[in-house]
């Protein structure tokens, strides 16, 4: 099946710094990418949806200036957590869907564990 | 808004035992329902789905039936294997079919 990778898998940073997480579709073109956040023992919460070449659509309550999303190509989307604080520590998961765009064609990355000290 | 509720707590059972994971949902309209599985170190994978009432999704011995009257989509497997140890997530799509809402997930541990 389709493969989605994330890099890094784990990152630790100091409070106030910015962190970039990459999401790549390795063997298909992803017209739409989704970013989720997962707290321990909680469900995945959709943060934003991005279509290649256009601005991301953020879910209610997600700060767009805090979580910068770029989807510049059909195989790469990035999430930048700006001026990170300890409360931003979480597990971030991306998913990608191909030209069909349907939810059942979403392929998920393995996630990135962010720890902000 | 749309939401999914999964039973609390991890599930530990012996090999060849019967597995049930409960899932109920709240939604407007007629969502599609999904079960995803996440094996250690890997991304979520679609396990099965159902798109309308009374549909039964099945894959790898797992089954779930879309019950509109009870707003449920319980996952079952008749005889689990150690390789079924994973986290299982119930999810639904919104009315437009392009956003997913997930339950909290259940850790399943199968003991030899």
């Amino acid at each position: 099946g389709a493969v989605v990778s994330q890099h890094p898998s784990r990152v630790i940073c100091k409070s106030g710094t910015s962190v970039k997480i990459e999401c790549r579709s390795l063997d298909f073109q992803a017209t739409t990418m989704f970013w989720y956040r997962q707290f321990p023992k909680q469900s995945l919460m959709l943060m934003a949806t991005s279509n290649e070449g256009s601005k991301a659509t953020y879910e209610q309550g997600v700060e767009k200036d805090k979580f910068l999303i770029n989807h510049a190509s059909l195989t790469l989307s990035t999430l930048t957590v700006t001026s990170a604080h300890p409360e931003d520590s979480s597990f971030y998961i991306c998913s990608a869907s191909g030209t069909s765009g349907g939810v059942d064609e979403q392929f998920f990355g393995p996630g990135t564990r962010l720890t902000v000290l | 808004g749309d939401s999914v509720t999964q039973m609390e707590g991890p599930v530990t059972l012996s090999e060849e035992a019967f597995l049930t994971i409960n899932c109920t949902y709240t939604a407007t309209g007629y969502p599609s329902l999904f079960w995803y599985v996440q094996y250690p170190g890997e991304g979520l994978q679609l396990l099965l789905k159902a798109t309308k009432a009374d549909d039964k999704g099945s894959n790898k011995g797992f089954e779930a039936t879309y019950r509109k009257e009870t707003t449920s989509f319980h996952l079952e497997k008749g005889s689990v294997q150690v390789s079924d140890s994973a986290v299982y997530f119930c999810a639904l799509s919104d009315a437009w079919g392009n956003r997913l809402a997930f339950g909290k997930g259940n850790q399943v541990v199968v003991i030899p």
Side-chain angles (χ1 to χ4, degrees):
Chain A
V3 179
V4 175
S5 69
Q6 281 185 241
H7 177 80
S9 58
R10 184 180 297 265
V11 58
I12 301 172
C13 69
K14 293 183 178 179
S15 186
T17 61
S18 295
V19 174
K20 180 183 285 188
I21 302 170
E22 292 185 348
C23 176
R24 293 182 185 274
S25 57
L26 299 185
D27 51 4
F28 69 103
Q29 293 186 327
T31 53
T32 306
M33 285 188 169
F34 305 83
W35 286 95
Y36 296 85
R37 183 175 181 176
Q38 184 181 26
F39 291 104
K41 298 184 180 181
Q42 300 295 318
S43 62
L44 281 74
M45 300 299 296
L46 180 64
M47 299 174 65
T49 303
S50 72
N51 292 295
E52 185 264 338
S54 60
K55 290 184 178 180
T57 302
Y58 290 81
E59 295 298 301
Q60 192 172 8
V62 178
E63 299 176 61
K64 60 180 67 176
D65 295 331
K66 173 76 170 175
F67 299 98
L68 300 179
I69 291 172
N70 183 277
H71 190 172
S73 79
L74 286 171
T75 59
L76 173 65
S77 176
T78 60
L79 167 68
T80 301
V81 183
T82 62
S83 187
H85 291 283
E87 59 265 28
D88 299 323
S89 298
S90 191
F91 195 57
Y92 293 88
I93 301 171
C94 74
S95 70
S97 67
T99 53
S100 69
V103 289
D104 56 347
E105 295 298 325
Q106 280 192 44
F107 301 98
F108 287 79
T112 296
R113 173 78 59 195
L114 171 63
T115 302
V116 184
L117 303 177
Chain B
D2 297 352
S3 66
V4 176
T5 301
Q6 290 183 235
M7 53 192 283
E8 290 290 330
V11 178
T12 302
L13 59 170
S14 299
E15 205 166 20
E16 299 184 3
F18 185 87
L19 170 69
T20 298
I21 305 176
N22 290 340
C23 171
T24 57
Y25 68 90
T26 302
T28 54
Y30 304 97
S32 293
L33 302 174
F34 307 85
W35 276 100
Y36 282 85
V37 59
Q38 185 176 31
Y39 299 104
E42 299 183 15
L44 276 73
Q45 302 172 26
L46 178 64
L47 179 60
L48 55 83
K49 67 176 183 179
T51 57
K52 61 183 187 297
D54 299 326
D55 266 4
K56 177 185 284 188
S58 62
N59 186 25
K60 299 181 180 180
F62 290 89
E63 293 183 341
T65 301
Y66 190 142
R67 300 287 188 198
K68 187 170 182 291
E69 64 276 13
T70 55
T71 61
S72 65
F73 193 54
H74 304 322
L75 182 68
E76 297 181 336
K77 185 172 185 180
S79 177
V80 293
Q81 305 300 313
V82 172
S83 58
D84 294 323
S85 298
V87 181
Y88 293 82
F89 293 90
C90 185
L92 62 79
S93 67
D94 67 3
W96 295 269
N98 56 14
R99 288 165 70 237
L100 290 170
F102 286 88
K104 292 183 179 181
N106 286 102
Q107 174 82 53
V108 172
V109 177
V110 180
I111 301 170

